[in-house]
Amino acid sequence: QAMDEVLEYLVNEHNGKYTLVEVRGKLNFFPQHMEMSHLSCFAPGMLALGAWQDRLLPEAKKRRYLQVAEGLTESCYQMYHQS
C-alpha cells in the first residue's frame, strides 16, 4: 500500500518521462519541488524487487511497478548522461 501512495502522489509521468518528486519542508504536497535528486535513482530498484519478490501482488500491479521502474531508470540514465 505504501508504494501505491508513492506512485499516486510522488511519481509524475509526462510525455512518457517519469520523475520522482522531491518533497521539501512540510509534507503538504503543494507546492511540490519538481527536481529529482540522485538518491531518487534507488527507487526503480525497490519497485522492481517488490514486483518480482511479492508473490501475492496482483499481476496488474506488478506490470505497473515494472513500467514505472523502467521509466524512472531511463530518467536517471538521462540525468547522468546529460550532466
Side-chain angles (χ1 to χ4, degrees):
Q1 182 180 355
M3 193 53 72
D4 293 334
E5 299 293 322
V6 168
L7 294 181
E8 184 174 346
Y9 295 108
L10 300 179
V11 173
N12 288 325
E13 187 268 329
H14 182 70
N15 293 333
K17 308 257 191 254
Y18 287 83
T19 56
L20 185 63
V21 174
E22 184 176 324
V23 178
R24 292 186 181 174
K26 292 184 179 180
L27 194 60
N28 61 5
F29 295 102
F30 298 103
Q32 296 171 338
H33 181 71
M34 301 299 285
E35 185 175 302
M36 201 166 125
S37 74
H38 68 286
L39 294 176
S40 299
C41 294
F42 286 101
M46 292 186 305
L47 281 165
L49 281 172
W52 286 106
Q53 295 296 321
D54 189 347
R55 293 186 176 124
L56 300 176
L57 197 64
E59 285 299 317
K61 271 193 184 181
K62 286 183 182 187
R63 285 192 300 275
R64 175 74 175 133
Y65 287 7
L66 291 174
Q67 174 190 13
V68 173
E70 184 178 348
L72 287 173
T73 299
E74 177 63 23
S75 295
C76 288
Y77 167 75
Q78 292 298 331
M79 182 172 62
Y80 281 99
H81 181 70
Q82 294 174 11
S83 63

